[in-house]
Amino acid sequence: MKTKIKVMLVEDHPGYREVITRALKREEQIELISQFGTAEIALRSLQDMSTRKVPDLILLDLNLPGLSGLEALPFFKQSIPDIKIIILTQSDKEADILDAISLGAKGYLLKSSTANHIRESIKTVMDGG
């Protein structure tokens, strides 16, 4: 049996976190292992990986309170060098897209993406796309 893709969600809006949670539960190949409202709390959780599952992929919002997604991205990559990160945001600004990719994001999705598109993008990124 193939191992499930372990996903961490970093999103400050509780309602949208619930939408993503429901969407990911419908996919047998994906397991949402943690979710956080701020990047700082998510980063702290990675420091104690002995008691938590280590994510394979992070869905990361850009507009977070405190440390923004763009500011946090290098810290996530430093904590887990092989981590895959997909930005999931409302911003379609070209500068944000270019900054995210240059900082190591493997994908960039708008929050208007369908649940199916988000699930397929997670699988695509994990397969090297």
Side-chain angles (χ1 to χ4, degrees), residues 52-93:
R52 297 188 183 270
K53 294 181 183 177
V54 178
D56 301 307
L57 183 138
I58 299 173
L59 290 175
L60 179 63
D61 187 14
L62 287 186
N63 297 315
L64 296 166
L67 197 63
S68 76
L70 281 178
E71 293 168 331
L73 207 151
F75 294 110
F76 284 117
K77 295 292 287 178
Q78 183 180 10
S79 294
I80 307 173
D82 294 334
I83 193 79
K84 308 282 193 271
I85 298 174
I86 297 176
I87 301 299
L88 184 59
T89 187
Q90 292 181 11
S91 175
D92 62 355
K93 295 178 186 173

Side-chain angles (χ1 to χ4, degrees), residues 5-25:
I5 300 167
K6 295 181 293 296
V7 175
M8 172 190 283
L9 174 62
V10 184
E11 163 62 48
D12 62 320
H13 190 274
Y16 192 69
R17 277 199 314 264
E18 181 60 30
V19 168
I20 297 301
T21 298
R22 280 189 257 128
L24 297 183
K25 282 185 178 181

